[in-house]
Structure formats: structure tokens, C-alpha cells
Amino acid sequence: AAPARAADLEFFTGESLGVQCAAKPGDTDFAAKQGRCVGYVVGVSDSQQAGQGQGGTQKVCFPAGVTATAMVTAVTGFLAAHPEKRPLAAQDLVVEALAAQYPCR
């Protein structure tokens, strides 16, 4: 299945999520942006994990001890490496990024 175009949804795009996740200390609203970034990435991850736990397709398999910081790093790296995907829906990109970093074997 192809990821939904963000324009068809009323949610974050990869671009808008990237802006939140790229905030640096000293930036205006740093804490709020980082909170939105981490909350979004962890929320999508939790949703994906719940679906997998209910028999959904195994896409993301975290090793023991994975942290929210590691998940955010994977997502921000993926967004930086794939600028052509940033217009797409952020939730699809988070799952794609996490699956690339933490594939199921």
C-alpha cells in the first residue's frame, strides 16, 4: 500500500514533523517542539506496536532497552536522508523509519 499524501489528511507531514524534531536548545519554543516530536514518534510507535500485538503485520521490532531518544534519532535521520518523502503523512514515515532502523527478522 502506498502512504497517504498528507494533503489528504489533517495531520503532520514529514516536513512539519521534521521542523519539530530539528529544534535545538535556544530555539524559540524548543521544549514545546521537542515535546511534540517525541510525543508524536512514541505515539505512532505505540500504535504500531499495539497493532502488531493484535496480529498485525510485523514491521518494527525493537531491541530491549530502546529509548525514545533513539527512536527520534532514527526518524530525524530518515527524514534528512529522504527529503522527497517529507510531503507525505508523518505517521507513515515514522513507521517506515523505525522499520528501517529496527526491522523484524
Side-chain angles (χ1 to χ4, degrees):
R5 303 253 338 132
D8 298 336
L9 307 170
E10 294 186 19
F11 300 105
F12 273 169
T13 63
E15 189 66 47
S16 58
L17 179 61
V19 168
Q20 302 302 308
C21 294
K24 303 286 184 226
D27 289 353
T28 303
D29 297 331
F30 167 73
K33 287 178 180 175
Q34 283 295 291
R36 283 192 289 274
C37 170
V38 173
Y40 191 88
V41 169
V42 172
V44 170
S45 171
D46 283 355
S47 177
Q48 177 67 32
Q49 295 298 303
Q52 288 178 195
Q54 294 177 354
T57 303
Q58 295 282 315
K59 294 181 182 179
V60 180
C61 293
F62 291 116
V66 72
T67 64
T69 300
M71 287 188 275
V72 168
T73 299
V75 170
T76 56
F78 182 87
L79 293 173
H82 299 284
E84 76 284 359
K85 293 187 176 198
R86 291 184 203 151
L88 299 174
Q91 73 269 11
D92 294 333
L93 298 177
V94 169
V95 172
E96 188 175 349
L98 294 176
Q101 183 69 33
Y102 305 105
C104 296
R105 299 194 161 114

